Amino acid sequence: MEYGGTFWSCITYDVLAQSVAELPADERLTDVVGEFHFASPMTALELASIDGTCRWCFEMLRVKLVRVFLSRNGMRAILVFRAPDAESVRSACRTVGATLDRSRASAIG
């Protein structure tokens, strides 16, 4: 896939396939999109391990990695998380030492 002159590859993870409407209000999660830039190239597997690095933190904040889009040169990535809000994702990423360039809650269909 090409976007903005950069070629991207994707890894998809299975997540809870339950409809948001079926969940109690306090368990409803949203998709949060985070953009990262790196000083040196990363691999898709290195990025995929981000939620395993500090699993207790991700579980406590109810953040789940759903999808990884990595540029072919490994210098940029877009990660999709399922979480209560964007701040939960920012907090979890700070804990593992990953700094988000941008993040926002999003409806992904």
Side-chain angles (χ1 to χ4, degrees):
M1 173 172 66
E2 184 177 1
Y3 176 76
T6 303
F7 288 93
W8 298 84
S9 59
C10 176
I11 296 177
T12 304
Y13 299 89
D14 291 330
V15 294
L16 182 66
Q18 192 173 17
S19 167
V20 171
E22 296 172 8
L23 295 172
D26 63 336
E27 292 183 22
R28 291 188 184 161
L29 303 176
T30 188
D31 291 316
V32 178
V33 178
E35 183 179 339
F36 297 82
H37 287 87
F38 310 108
S40 60
M42 297 284 285
T43 67
L45 293 177
E46 288 171 322
L47 286 173
S49 69
I50 192 171
D51 66 342
T53 304
C54 191
R55 184 162 306 280
W56 67 267
C57 179
F58 275 72
E59 288 176 1
M60 181 183 71
L61 294 170
R62 298 181 353 179
V63 174
K64 174 83 175 156
L65 181 61
V66 177
R67 209 169 266 149
V68 175
F69 295 93
L70 179 64
S71 66
R72 260 201 170 147
N73 66 6
M75 301 295 282
R76 295 173 56 198
I78 296 172
L79 277 62
V80 180
F81 298 91
R82 178 104 359 112
D85 52 37
E87 185 55 37
S88 297
V89 172
R90 286 190 286 270
S91 294
C93 288
R94 273 193 301 269
T95 302
V96 297
T99 305
L100 286 163
D101 294 326
R102 288 183 270 186
S103 65
R104 67 182 181 94
S106 179
I108 298 175

